[in-house]
Amino acid sequence: MLWFELPCWMGPDWPVIHARFTALLAGKLLQIAVELVLIVTTTWWEVQLGRAAREGVLPQAIVVDRSKL
């Protein structure tokens, strides 16, 4: 969206190529920010799950082979 809208928002005194490169940079920064949030959230979740498993809060997983039943 910024690829087409940012040149209009910046006005005619800005070169179009500069506005488009700025849009690309903004998109890449947004992608990095989203990835960092996902990394931090996943790491926090795995740490909490590991703590709960070590403390015995979570029941032990038991694999049942249904083909032998």
Side-chain angles (χ1 to χ4, degrees):
M1 183 178 113
L2 282 179
W3 183 262
F4 297 108
E5 293 296 324
L6 196 61
C8 296
W9 291 344
M10 289 182 144
D13 55 335
W14 282 88
V16 174
I17 192 71
H18 176 76
R20 293 207 168 147
F21 279 134
T22 304
L24 286 175
L25 179 64
K28 191 64 175 175
L29 289 175
L30 179 64
Q31 176 192 2
I32 290 170
V34 168
E35 290 287 335
L36 285 174
V37 167
L38 288 173
I39 289 168
V40 169
T41 303
T42 304
T43 304
W44 175 82
W45 186 13
E46 289 184 0
V47 167
Q48 296 301 319
L49 185 62
R51 285 182 185 163
R54 281 192 305 275
E55 293 172 357
V57 176
L58 293 177
Q60 183 179 359
I62 300 172
V63 178
V64 177
D65 188 9
R66 296 201 182 266
S67 64
K68 296 180 181 180
L69 293 177

